[in-house]
Amino acid sequence: MIVVGDKFSYHDDGKVGWLGAFAQIEYTKESLTAFLSTSLQRSTYQRVDYFQYTPDSENRESDKFDFNGYGIKGGANYRLNDVHNIFANIGYFERPANFDAVFENFNNVDVNPDAENQKIFSVELGYGLRSEKFAANLNVYYTEWNDRTFTRRIQNRNPGQDDFTANILGVNATHQGVEFDFTYRPTDKLNFTGMLSLGDWKYANNLVDVRIFDQDQNLVEVVDLPIKGLRVSDAAQTTAALGMLYKFWDKTSITVDYNYFADIYAQFDVL
């Protein structure tokens, strides 16, 4: 019999330690500005389960698992003249796997101590224009984001029944697109701004052996997910904005902004 204050289904703590370092150098000479940055990260995970193991069990507290990540990024901007400039950035990052990727089976024994780091490669090329009244930037980007981990809640289709949870590992995606923004100031009192972003973000691989658990953390099903080619969810892949600011006096102004969002896709259905 369960009474007020009792724990049921599960009761555990996740202990996460994090350590990081960052360094950057910059170089400037005449029309050229460049930088190089690097970072290091170490994450430590440990799980304490008060529900599945007795206080004297050696499995009540898991081992500690350490994961290292790093990143390196470089970029440069070159001024062709007082009006035009070009720029480029390139980077590679490895982000330590998250807690759920290590303890994917919700216990302290059947763990994944060799969980894959998330891997991110990104490159960007751009052009800028600066004049007395008008300024604009145009850039294109390409990003590969691999070995991501998600935990998804799955609604039970039987009314009154508990929901399920799926641990989804090894998700790869490609993000690419073009972005444009501008500022136009015809007078000291009037200012216009605008932007446009067109993205093409898709999942890049199919997934096998995705595990689904019930609320008691029992494995109930293993499924494959043919998600390759589906659009990445939860963020608008097309966005645009226009804005105007008019200053009547030094401390009085009016602004008008218009924002547009499109190509927002739903999460894929695990079942």
Side-chain angles (χ1 to χ4, degrees), residues 12 25 95 99 111 114 118 142 146 170 173 201 255 267-268:
D12 54 83
I25 58 174
R95 179 184 298 175
F99 189 91
V111 299
D114 300 316
Q118 296 184 42
Y142 176 83
N146 296 333
W201 310 343
T255 61
Q267 295 180 350
F268 54 78

Side-chain angles (χ1 to χ4, degrees), residues 210-258:
V210 175
R211 299 185 176 192
I212 301 175
F213 298 84
D214 62 18
Q215 289 295 298
D216 294 322
Q217 300 179 348
N218 298 312
L219 179 65
V220 296
E221 192 171 356
V222 179
V223 300
D224 296 339
L225 298 181
I227 64 172
K228 183 177 181 179
L230 294 182
R231 299 284 184 172
V232 174
S233 61
D234 297 338
Q237 298 192 23
T238 299
T239 59
L242 285 173
M244 182 202 75
L245 182 148
Y246 185 80
K247 183 180 293 186
F248 294 98
W249 303 284
D250 288 342
K251 297 183 179 181
T252 306
S253 62
I254 184 173
T255 61
V256 178
D257 290 300
Y258 172 79

Side-chain angles (χ1 to χ4, degrees), residues 51-72:
F51 192 84
Q52 299 185 78
Y53 308 105
T54 60
D56 58 350
S57 172
E58 63 178 8
N59 295 321
R60 186 180 179 92
E61 189 171 279
S62 76
D63 293 334
K64 292 183 178 180
F65 299 97
D66 298 320
F67 295 88
N68 298 315
Y70 66 93
I72 184 168

Side-chain angles (χ1 to χ4, degrees), residues 123-252:
V123 61
E124 176 189 30
L125 299 173
Y127 162 78
L129 181 151
R130 301 289 183 274
S131 65
E132 182 180 352
K133 296 183 178 182
F134 183 77
N137 295 296
L138 176 67
N139 70 287
V140 294
Y141 65 89
Y142 176 83
T143 300
E144 293 180 356
W145 194 342
N146 296 333
D147 290 315
R148 299 187 67 184
T149 300
F150 299 98
T151 300
R152 287 279 176 84
R153 181 74 63 181
I154 304 169
Q155 185 175 4
N156 197 316
R157 297 175 179 176
N158 297 316
Q161 300 295 313
D162 290 335
D163 293 338
F164 303 98
T165 300
N167 265 353
I168 304 172
L169 310 180
V171 180
N172 300 338
T174 299
H175 297 238
Q176 56 187 346
V178 58
E179 299 173 330
F180 172 76
D181 66 85
F182 76 89
T183 300
Y184 175 56
R185 186 187 297 272
T187 70
D188 292 339
K189 294 181 177 293
L190 183 61
N191 184 46
F192 294 97
T193 59
M195 61 80 63
L196 174 66
S197 177
L198 303 175
D200 179 22
W201 310 343
K202 294 180 180 179
Y203 295 113
N205 65 322
N206 295 320
L207 304 175
V208 297
D209 295 340
V210 175
R211 299 185 176 192
I212 301 175
F213 298 84
D214 62 18
Q215 289 295 298
D216 294 322
Q217 300 179 348
N218 298 312
L219 179 65
V220 296
E221 192 171 356
V222 179
V223 300
D224 296 339
L225 298 181
I227 64 172
K228 183 177 181 179
L230 294 182
R231 299 284 184 172
V232 174
S233 61
D234 297 338
Q237 298 192 23
T238 299
T239 59
L242 285 173
M244 182 202 75
L245 182 148
Y246 185 80
K247 183 180 293 186
F248 294 98
W249 303 284
D250 288 342
K251 297 183 179 181
T252 306

